[in-house]
Amino acid sequence: MSTPKYKLTYFNCMWLAEPIRYLLSYVKEDFEDVRIDYGEWEKNDGKINKDEFLYQKLPVLEDSENGLTLGQSFTIARYLGRKYNLAGKTDVEAAKCDEYSDVLKDVLKEIEMIYEKDEKTKAELNTNFLEKTIPRYFSVIESDLKKNGGKYLVGNGITWIDFLLCHLAQLFSLLSESDVLTDYPTIKKYQQEIFAIPEIKAWIDKRPVTPY
């Protein structure tokens, strides 16, 4: 058996690496899915040498074909999108992919604020996330997706941003303990269709079971 050209190192969860796993699965590229225990990583007791990883952060993608080691989850997804012609067919479409990725990064920053120890503050932040943050961004995405026919967010073919949006919408629902797509039927249907793509469904069926 040949060695996979890609090695993806992340924690044993979906979180930021799952869109990358979706993309590699979609293009039918076998990859080494290396999973590090987050608890062991956080212990910082020397068993895991963080200096081996770019910026002492994960995920990290190693592309043996190009001799490349790449950090930052959105950058990795964008790189693979470009490599496999899943980054838009024009400069305009590529720019829209980048725009939506920055939007999702903004939303992600706000959901991470919910990791607050004080329960009252946490509840307030979660309410703000559901009542203000999600409508602010997802109302625009819902409208844009509908105008584009509902099947793809950008252009007339799948792009890396489709995997990012579908996964993060699912993640936002898990973390907020509420279906963030309740008021966005176009995104919800589109998400279901993306997850039903044979290569994506096959990955979902075989991946390790993790809470998020």
Side-chain angles (χ1 to χ4, degrees), residues 48-203:
I48 297 174
N49 183 6
K50 293 184 180 181
D51 290 333
E52 292 180 359
F53 303 99
L54 286 174
Y55 318 113
Q56 300 183 355
K57 295 183 69 175
L58 297 176
V60 169
L61 178 77
E62 295 173 52
D63 180 352
S64 62
E65 186 176 56
N66 291 334
L68 175 69
T69 299
L70 195 63
Q72 299 295 321
S73 59
F74 284 35
T75 298
I76 294 169
R78 183 183 293 109
Y79 164 72
L80 291 170
R82 289 173 177 167
K83 187 173 181 180
Y84 290 97
N85 298 315
L86 301 175
K89 297 175 182 176
T90 66
D91 289 343
V92 170
E93 289 184 4
K96 290 302 291 185
C97 287
D98 289 342
E99 176 191 338
Y100 291 124
S101 72
D102 286 340
V103 163
L104 292 167
K105 192 176 291 185
D106 286 344
V107 182
L108 189 62
K109 287 177 183 176
E110 299 224 14
I111 193 71
E112 287 173 344
M113 290 172 59
I114 293 177
Y115 281 92
E116 165 65 46
K117 292 182 179 179
D118 180 77
E119 289 300 320
K120 182 180 178 183
T121 304
K122 180 178 178 179
E124 290 172 352
L125 288 171
N126 197 44
T127 297
N128 182 76
F129 178 78
L130 292 171
E131 295 183 358
K132 295 183 178 180
T133 302
I134 288 297
R136 176 183 178 186
Y137 294 107
F138 274 57
S139 60
V140 177
I141 295 174
E142 171 79 6
S143 177
D144 288 354
L145 180 60
K146 189 180 294 185
K147 288 176 185 176
N148 199 46
K151 193 170 183 180
Y152 308 111
L153 186 54
V154 174
N156 61 3
I158 201 162
T159 62
W160 66 278
I161 202 65
D162 293 312
F163 301 124
L164 193 67
L165 172 59
C166 289
H167 168 65
L168 289 181
Q170 183 182 59
L171 182 66
F172 298 152
S173 293
L174 286 169
L175 297 178
S176 66
E177 299 181 346
S178 181
D179 185 357
V180 301
L181 297 182
T182 296
D183 296 326
Y184 308 103
T186 308
I187 303 176
K188 195 176 187 72
K189 183 173 184 291
Y190 146 89
Q191 182 193 59
Q192 292 168 346
E193 291 175 349
I194 294 293
F195 286 162
I197 292 171
E199 293 82 4
I200 304 303
K201 185 178 184 302
W203 168 254

